[in-house]
Amino acid sequence: MEPRTVLNEKFFIVTRGKSRKGFCRGCIGRIESETKRGEFVGLLYGGNSNPGTPKNGGLVKIEDMYPLTRHQAQLLLFISSASRRLELLCNPQLFSAICELSQDDLVVVKHKNGHLPGLVKNLMQIGRKDNKDDLYMLAFEVEFVDTDHTLSSKKPPLSLFSAADIIQVVPSYSVPLGLQWKDAICGGLNRKAVTRNSCIANIGSCAQPATENRTEQSLIQNQSLSSVPLEVGSMVEVVSNSGITVYGVIRWLGVPGGKTGEWAGIELDYDVKGCSDGMYGGQRFFTCKEKRALFVPITKCSPDGRFLSASTGKEILKSTDTTPVPPYEDTDEDVPPIPESEAPFLLVGKMKGIQGHINSCYLDATLFSLFSSSVTLDGICKKPADTDQPITCTLRAIVNRLRRQGFVPAESVMNFRTLLGCDTFRTEEKDPEEFITVLFQKVLCTEPLLKLRSKQETSQGAYTFQIFLEKEQMGQIPTVQQLMDTSCLSGDLKFETMPSCLIVQMPRFGNKYKMFSHIIPSLKLDITDLLYNSPRECFVCGRLAEYECLQCLPDRKLQPGRIKQYCTTCNAQIHNHPSRQGHSPSALAVPVEVPTDTPVPRHTMELFAVLCIQTSHYVSFVKYGSDAHSWIFFDSMADRCGDDQSGYNIPEVRACPELGDFLSQPEEELSQANPSQAPELVRRLLCDSYMFLYQSSTTCFESQTVRSLKCV
């Protein structure tokens, strides 16, 4: 197989596919040649000693990579984390702006002290170039801006940042056009001359100066924005004299003591250094989280540009009427689940997820949990009895919009609720299990997800698994694994087949009764011992088990809460003990063709979502990737804009990495942990869990990279 030489220099980043001969997701390489099979032979960059020196990388398919310029490759190479490289690529506008940065451009960078503004001063070449194939890594030297929006006179050492550390770029032409903190300042920063020679005078090879047309268009838009009336509940943006834009909702309007003219108290979308919790001048005007309250003259506010019509400059929808809905173009193409690298950017924030309306939280939380990031149900969604049914098309449109845009307005969900066929689904509170049954039976027209076999050898189907047991059978804070094992053994139930999706309902009834004050999630659910007529290993010696004993389940000397099954020899020895002689072990149905000394494979499922309820309100936690910290929290009615008659709910998705930290502890430590000392969201999950959603480990997250970075 003679490869064809590729003459032009071509760099790339691997965006999907399993690790193959040195290449994996996030790796940077350079094409050397192409095989007759259409695969590329490439060099791999990123070694520990000198990341800029290439080594043989092997073969990579064209559909598994994304092309890069040399400049882009050098910028990404300085980012040591492969996942952070992909996250940056998933924000094409930001990455493009970073690639075009010029000297003295204003940026906002991630720093140990928070998000700080600064001026780009130099583009630094990192590493060494010993031969023609080597690449310099590129990093930015940034000079921070003081809190009074001027450059520091002390001339501290310049800080070095990678492209992934830059979270906002403010082009030079936009600074004079933004609304300013100080009326006297119209040119942005008091920029001083660079006293140090720059490595590269003009950083971006494609950097473009501001054009007269662009300036004129921006001025016209700013003039039109100034005429839009603002009131309590309006979503606004404020631009400081340094050009940094912050977004929030007006919570108070009035004249604070010692000031003249009308001022606005704004609750910001995120923490900002120097902001309060609603206090100003020693007086409280409203209450919010610390570092979220900003007070400015109303003249410094303008309508949130993220929800404006670009052509007219008017608000798409008034805050007191309906939701500000970003434009969306529906297509017939099905969208795959949101990849792990893209989820934080697409989903996290306010007006994200599914918008709640009139007791819809049970449905919103369930749909978000099932379809935002899980691949398990995609096959089911594409095989309904009649794909042309209006209700099926409506559901697919909701799922596609959520995955493509990260937001579904209440109107879309209300149409779906209307098509469910019962008026109570439009107006009344429901339990998720009732909706799940209707969803799979009537909308998706699928067979039950579970096939259960009872002691009487009768088989029955179910869409969810309800935990039934006596409280005395468990400890004070049980795990889902312990609840599952005990419930199945107590009811003598087994799964006929390995389910692709398992929805486990906790022993509680709505918000009125719960058997356990706290429940510990099991990240992996081992159902090997719950499968009917499947080989199982002896609890003691590991050989093929032939007996099972329910009475041994709570035995404190034999790991209480674990299912106990034994081979013939161990069964006799275990039950010779005086405390177990009264037990009644039952014989297992052992497949004849399985040798007694064959290792038994384990069948596990992975947790991908948790539904919780508190005071009749459902929310959800979703694990959107394989990383332990890839958790988000979703509330379809986290906030409200306007009153009950004419306002709308504001859904919110929050990153929840602290849940990953908590659940990464050993099971022994989790069982002894004090839930009241856990972070807020972790405590909420432990106390309010209602349903745990699991998917088969064999399919878990394998298809999440199907949506390659073609969107870049």
Side-chain angles (χ1 to χ4, degrees):
M1 184 185 301
E2 290 294 329
R4 302 196 305 271
T5 302
V6 177
L7 299 178
N8 296 331
E9 188 179 54
K10 294 184 178 180
F11 295 92
F12 63 88
I13 183 171
V14 180
T15 58
R16 67 177 190 176
K18 297 181 179 179
S19 178
R20 186 180 183 193
K21 295 184 179 179
F23 285 116
C24 59
R25 292 186 71 239
C27 290
I28 296 173
R30 195 186 75 191
I31 296 175
E32 288 291 287
S33 58
E34 182 180 357
T35 68
K36 293 181 179 180
R37 297 174 57 184
E39 295 181 318
F40 292 96
V41 179
L43 296 177
L44 174 66
Y45 290 90
N48 293 329
S49 57
N50 185 12
T53 300
K55 61 180 180 180
N56 291 332
L59 300 177
V60 62
K61 297 179 180 179
I62 189 170
E63 60 266 26
D64 292 340
M65 65 184 189
Y66 182 80
L68 301 171
T69 65
R70 169 182 279 267
H71 185 68
Q72 290 172 334
Q74 290 176 290
L75 288 172
L76 293 174
L77 194 57
F78 188 63
I79 305 171
S80 58
S81 168
S83 62
R84 292 188 70 197
R85 294 174 187 165
L86 294 173
E87 288 176 4
L88 179 57
L89 273 181
C90 284
N91 193 336
Q93 291 180 326
L94 177 61
F95 186 51
S96 176
I98 291 173
C99 291
E100 296 178 1
L101 280 172
S102 298
Q103 219 174 51
D104 278 354
D105 270 348
L106 180 64
V107 296
V108 180
V109 296
K110 293 180 182 177
H111 189 266
K112 62 182 180 180
N113 295 329
H115 296 171
L116 303 179
L119 294 179
V120 173
K121 289 300 178 182
N122 303 292
L123 182 67
M124 304 299 295
Q125 295 179 339
I126 310 296
R128 62 179 185 270
K129 189 175 176 64
D130 297 330
N131 57 68
K132 64 181 183 63
D133 291 329
D134 288 354
L135 273 182
Y136 284 117
M137 297 180 290
L138 295 182
F140 297 96
E141 276 194 330
V142 176
E143 185 172 7
F144 290 127
V145 178
D146 286 344
T147 55
D148 62 352
H149 311 301
T150 60
L151 298 180
S152 173
S153 59
K154 297 181 180 179
K155 288 292 181 182
L158 297 179
S159 300
L160 199 64
F161 293 93
S162 72
D165 296 322
I166 298 175
I167 63 171
Q168 187 178 350
V169 173
V170 185
S172 57
Y173 68 81
S174 71
V175 174
L177 302 177
L179 300 175
Q180 308 297 324
W181 290 101
K182 301 177 181 178
D183 294 334
I185 300 177
C186 61
L189 289 166
N190 177 20
R191 296 179 174 176
K192 298 184 179 180
V194 181
T195 57
R196 177 180 175 189
N197 289 331
S198 206
C199 293
I200 300 176
N202 189 2
I203 293 175
S205 57
C206 301
Q208 298 179 352
T211 65
E212 185 177 346
N213 289 339
R214 173 180 281 170
T215 303
E216 182 179 354
Q217 181 181 4
S218 298
L219 285 171
I220 292 173
Q221 184 175 7
N222 282 341
Q223 291 171 2
S224 64
L225 297 187
S226 62
S227 62
V228 177
L230 298 176
E231 55 193 10
V232 173
S234 293
M235 304 178 74
V236 295
E237 63 182 42
V238 180
V239 184
S240 72
N241 70 304
S242 61
I244 308 304
T245 303
V246 293
Y247 302 92
V249 178
I250 294 179
R251 296 299 184 204
W252 173 84
L253 289 172
V255 181
K259 301 293 181 181
T260 59
E262 189 174 33
W263 279 52
I266 304 168
E267 182 180 357
L268 301 176
D269 289 351
Y270 47 83
D271 295 355
V272 173
K273 185 179 181 181
C275 290
S276 70
D277 62 351
M279 295 280 290
Y280 182 75
Q283 183 178 355
R284 178 168 300 281
F285 294 95
F286 65 96
T287 301
C288 65
K289 292 183 179 179
E290 185 68 32
K291 299 181 181 179
R292 291 285 184 96
L294 173 68
F295 292 85
V296 294
I298 190 66
T299 55
K300 307 305 179 186
C301 303
S302 60
D304 192 330
R306 298 172 297 179
F307 304 110
L308 292 173
S309 168
S311 60
T312 65
K314 296 180 180 179
E315 282 186 288
I316 295 173
L317 293 167
K318 293 182 179 179
S319 63
T320 54
D321 292 334
T322 50
T323 315
V325 181
Y328 174 75
E329 182 179 350
D330 195 9
T331 64
D332 294 332
E333 180 184 358
D334 285 325
V335 182
I338 302 170
E340 181 174 9
S341 60
E342 192 173 341
F345 302 98
L346 186 64
L347 287 177
V348 174
K350 290 189 176 182
M351 296 304 291
K352 293 291 186 177
I354 300 174
Q355 186 182 33
H357 182 60
I358 310 179
N359 298 324
S360 69
C361 59
Y362 72 93
L363 183 144
D364 307 325
T366 302
L367 289 180
F368 187 86
S369 299
L370 288 173
F371 296 111
S372 60
S373 297
S374 173
V375 302
T376 302
L377 298 178
D378 273 27
I380 296 176
C381 290
K382 295 175 183 178
K383 293 186 284 189
D386 183 0
T387 55
D388 294 329
Q389 289 187 78
I391 190 170
T392 303
C393 295
T394 303
L395 174 63
R396 291 178 65 184
I398 290 173
V399 174
N400 285 335
R401 183 164 191 170
L402 175 63
R403 293 174 173 180
R404 182 179 288 118
Q405 193 181 44
F407 173 74
V408 180
E411 180 183 5
S412 299
V413 182
M414 183 56 76
N415 292 338
F416 178 68
R417 295 169 70 185
T418 302
L419 293 172
L420 288 174
C422 179
D423 288 342
T424 57
F425 277 107
R426 287 194 301 113
T427 58
E428 297 182 8
E429 296 178 2
K430 295 284 186 179
D431 291 325
E433 62 271 22
E434 182 179 356
F435 168 63
I436 287 172
T437 300
V438 173
L439 175 68
F440 286 103
Q441 271 187 350
K442 295 184 178 181
V443 181
L444 300 176
C445 305
T446 63
E447 295 293 325
L449 298 176
L450 310 177
K451 291 184 178 179
L452 302 171
R453 181 174 288 268
S454 64
K455 184 176 182 179
Q456 291 75 25
E457 297 295 314
T458 58
S459 180
Q460 60 184 15
Y463 292 101
T464 63
F465 186 91
Q466 172 70 62
I467 296 290
F468 287 109
L469 44 70
E470 298 294 333
K471 187 174 183 178
E472 293 72 22
Q473 293 177 276
M474 304 303 304
Q476 287 188 342
I477 306 180
T479 65
V480 176
Q481 181 76 62
Q482 293 169 345
L483 292 171
M484 192 76 190
D485 290 349
T486 305
S487 181
C488 284
L489 260 67
S490 300
D492 202 1
L493 294 175
K494 292 288 190 294
F495 294 98
E496 282 196 351
T497 58
M498 176 77 177
S500 60
C501 180
L502 175 59
I503 303 174
V504 186
Q505 187 176 344
M506 295 298 101
R508 62 177 298 169
F509 304 99
N511 65 327
K512 299 178 181 178
Y513 169 79
K514 57 181 180 180
M515 184 176 290
F516 301 99
S517 60
H518 303 86
I519 294 175
I520 302 294
S522 298
L523 292 177
K524 284 188 178 293
L525 195 64
D526 191 333
I527 66 169
T528 307
D529 301 331
L530 303 177
L531 293 174
Y532 176 76
N533 202 25
S534 178
R536 296 161 60 182
E537 66 179 21
C538 175
F539 178 77
V540 179
C541 68
R543 295 173 65 86
L544 191 66
E546 300 175 74
Y547 294 90
E548 180 180 70
C549 183
L550 174 61
Q551 290 96 330
C552 285
L553 185 71
D555 196 314
R556 296 187 177 277
K557 297 180 180 179
L558 297 172
Q559 294 189 28
R562 292 282 304 276
I563 293 180
K564 313 299 190 306
Q565 61 275 329
Y566 312 103
C567 65
T568 302
T569 303
C570 292
N571 182 59
Q573 293 177 348
I574 286 291
H575 290 99
N576 273 336
H577 192 280
S579 64
R580 306 188 192 101
Q581 290 179 356
H583 290 189
S584 303
S586 56
L588 295 173
V590 181
V592 179
E593 67 277 7
V594 180
T596 58
D597 57 351
T598 300
V600 177
R602 309 304 298 180
H603 300 280
T604 61
M605 308 194 74
E606 296 202 14
L607 181 67
F608 72 90
V610 183
L611 286 174
C612 296
I613 181 174
Q614 184 182 49
T615 60
S616 301
H617 181 60
Y618 288 95
V619 296
S620 66
F621 293 82
V622 173
K623 194 171 193 297
Y624 61 86
S626 57
D627 188 273
H629 299 92
S630 295
W631 281 95
I632 51 179
F633 168 77
F634 167 62
D635 186 348
S636 65
M637 303 177 181
D639 202 351
R640 187 165 181 84
C641 185
D643 56 32
D644 292 340
Q645 301 300 321
S646 58
Y648 57 85
N649 290 308
I650 300 176
E652 182 178 16
V653 179
R654 296 162 58 183
C656 190
E658 62 269 28
L659 181 56
D661 289 330
F662 182 84
L663 296 179
S664 296
Q665 300 178 81
E667 188 173 307
E668 295 77 15
E669 294 183 19
L670 287 175
S671 62
Q672 299 173 6
N674 183 357
S676 63
Q677 301 300 317
E680 173 202 353
L681 291 181
V682 175
R683 185 169 63 252
R684 191 165 182 178
L685 183 143
L686 298 177
C687 298
D688 302 333
S689 57
Y690 187 81
M691 276 185 170
F692 289 85
L693 283 63
Y694 289 88
Q695 58 189 0
S696 172
S697 297
T698 57
T699 60
C700 186
F701 306 128
E702 285 186 359
S703 301
Q704 289 196 14
T705 57
V706 170
R707 178 200 271 181
S708 66
L709 300 177
K710 294 180 181 178
C711 59
V712 178

